[in-house]
Amino acid sequence: MHLIDIKHLTKTFDDTRALDDVSFYIDENEFITLLGPSGCGKTTLLRILGGFETPDAGSVSLSGQDILTVPAFEREVNTVFQHYALFPHLNVYDNVAFGLKMKKMAPDVIADKVSKALKMVRLDSLSKRRIQQLSGGQKQRVAIARAIVNEPKVLLLDEPLAALDLKLRQDMQYELKELQRNLGITFIYVTHDQEEALTMSDTIVVMNEGHILQIGTPVDIYNEPKTKFVAHFIGESNIIPAVMNADYRVTFEGHTFTCVDHGFETNQPVSVVIRPEDITLKQEEGIINGVVDAITFKGVHYEIIVYVNDKEYVIHSIHPQEVGTSVSLHFDAEAIHVMADV
């Protein structure tokens, strides 16, 4: 049995369909990310799971029990909000203990639970610190400690790293994943940041305009996008019109290439996706030839723009090229990902 089953979930705000017949499931101890642009429906879905919104139609079950009629405070689900929602007049300890005190737990039980939660997020030495004295990363940890101290089955995280600077955000990505492993509970994470999704997730749910476009592991989503939207949204992509001549044979840019895809109709119009890092440039005549139009240093690689038949290709390489240089593009069969035009 799945931990969470979401079936035919629909939600409309005025004339906008935020969720349109959304169905999928979430397994126990999974780190699952809802990924998509602003307005795609991911936060609405999270708020329904947390009990802060009511859907127009559909069902949500947790461990086989319907939770849509269960008040938010009675669900075995806790939420970490984007802006943390901490109490500025309380110190770290009292912020984490607040929910336990509201449940009228014994002081020694509260102390034990808060101590364990703060140790888990590495804030046990700052329990008496005022919230105003904390850094952004520390505030985020307090919000997580306050959520996990109740020992929920599911932790909902609504873009919790959005307010942090780049380096801290990257550090916290690894910390959150490690925390999820140690806690052994299910994390449902909302973000529009593809790097966060790829770094932390066991499963990614790509959403747009209230629909789920693709569900899969980070590797599957990145290497085998099912639509142009997914290919564009998850990393940079070169998307080329093509024709699938037969299994393992695809034609684009006037040439036929061997690929690893099959199952398409003969001579079916398709699109080919080739990631920038999968293309090698050589200063010699090849099958696909072009001219370097621009180059930008990105730190770990150069981003090189090459024009081929008035079409722009993006290439990531550690080897710079001079603008105006004639080059040929080279890639392996495994680098060619064929998807149906939808």
Side-chain angles (χ1 to χ4, degrees):
M1 182 174 67
H2 307 303
L3 178 65
I4 297 176
D5 266 303
I6 298 166
K7 296 180 179 178
H8 308 296
L9 216 55
T10 300
K11 179 66 176 178
T12 301
F13 296 101
D14 298 324
D15 296 327
T16 302
R17 184 66 62 91
L19 295 173
D20 192 356
D21 196 28
V22 167
S23 298
F24 68 105
Y25 63 84
I26 300 170
D27 285 327
E28 197 168 359
N29 301 338
E30 189 173 17
F31 196 124
I32 187 164
T33 297
L34 308 178
L35 175 67
S38 297
C40 73
K42 58 188 186 295
T43 296
T44 299
L45 177 53
L46 199 77
R47 288 178 61 80
I48 289 173
L49 294 175
F52 307 112
E53 294 285 355
T54 302
D56 302 326
S59 65
V60 178
S61 63
L62 174 62
S63 299
Q65 300 297 314
D66 174 47
I67 62 170
L68 290 182
T69 57
V70 178
F73 65 90
E74 292 183 5
R75 299 185 187 189
E76 294 182 283
V77 174
N78 272 14
T79 304
V80 177
F81 298 99
Q82 182 174 345
H83 299 294
Y84 315 140
L86 300 175
F87 300 113
H89 63 288
L90 300 179
N91 63 21
V92 170
Y93 180 95
D94 289 332
N95 262 278
V96 177
F98 184 83
L100 303 180
K101 291 178 179 179
M102 293 295 291
K103 294 180 179 179
K104 302 188 185 309
M105 289 188 176
D108 58 331
V109 174
I110 292 175
D112 182 59
K113 287 180 175 291
V114 173
S115 176
K116 289 179 180 177
L118 290 177
K119 191 171 292 184
M120 186 74 71
V121 297
R122 297 188 288 112
L123 284 178
D124 43 314
S125 63
L126 301 179
S127 63
K128 301 305 179 185
R129 187 75 61 88
R130 307 291 293 185
I131 294 300
Q132 296 93 326
Q133 297 172 313
L134 301 179
S135 68
Q138 289 168 339
K139 290 178 182 177
Q140 195 246 21
R141 289 193 187 98
V142 174
I144 292 171
R146 187 177 61 183
I148 65 176
V149 77
N150 291 303
E151 301 173 356
K153 286 186 177 180
V154 180
L155 188 63
L156 309 177
L157 301 104
D158 187 8
E159 302 203 52
L161 307 184
L164 306 182
D165 62 53
L166 177 61
K167 181 63 170 67
L168 184 55
R169 191 162 68 242
Q170 291 172 336
D171 291 342
M172 288 305 299
Q173 289 171 13
Y174 295 104
E175 289 194 21
L176 276 176
K177 183 59 181 175
E178 187 64 24
L179 181 64
Q180 186 262 339
R181 289 195 191 101
N182 293 335
L183 287 170
I185 65 176
T186 298
F187 276 31
I188 304 176
Y189 191 95
V190 161
T191 186
H192 62 271
D193 188 311
Q194 55 182 272
E195 180 188 337
E196 285 184 7
L198 293 171
T199 298
M200 296 188 292
S201 310
D202 299 318
T203 303
I204 297 175
V205 179
V206 184
M207 300 181 66
N208 191 39
E209 296 182 344
H211 296 276
I212 292 176
L213 301 185
Q214 188 169 350
I215 300 176
T217 67
V219 173
D220 290 340
I221 295 286
Y222 187 82
N223 287 335
E224 296 293 342
K226 291 184 177 179
T227 69
K228 291 181 181 179
F229 178 89
V230 175
H232 276 302
F233 199 78
I234 308 293
E236 293 189 73
S237 300
N238 297 291
I239 301 179
I240 310 112
V243 174
M244 199 71 182
N245 310 115
D247 286 350
Y248 312 111
R249 304 288 287 175
V250 63
T251 296
F252 59 95
E253 298 293 6
H255 302 277
T256 300
F257 298 87
T258 300
C259 65
V260 297
D261 294 283
H262 58 90
F264 294 87
E265 296 179 9
T266 302
N267 296 325
Q268 178 180 343
V270 293
S271 291
V272 161
V273 177
I274 306 179
R275 296 293 187 180
E277 64 272 18
D278 291 335
I279 299 175
T280 301
L281 297 179
K282 296 183 179 180
Q283 293 184 357
E284 60 186 37
E285 192 76 9
I287 296 176
I288 297 181
N289 302 291
V291 176
V292 176
D293 183 71
I295 180 169
T296 305
F297 180 59
K298 294 286 188 176
V300 295
H301 62 257
Y302 293 92
E303 183 171 278
I304 303 168
I305 307 298
V306 175
Y307 269 93
V308 176
N309 300 327
D310 294 325
K311 188 185 290 88
E312 180 183 282
Y313 280 76
V314 179
I315 295 95
H316 292 167
S317 174
I318 60 172
H319 303 293
Q321 301 284 340
E322 289 193 19
V323 173
T325 303
S326 295
V327 294
S328 57
L329 282 60
H330 298 259
F331 39 82
D332 298 329
E334 291 78 11
I336 302 171
H337 307 291
V338 179
M339 60 186 182
D341 284 329
V342 293

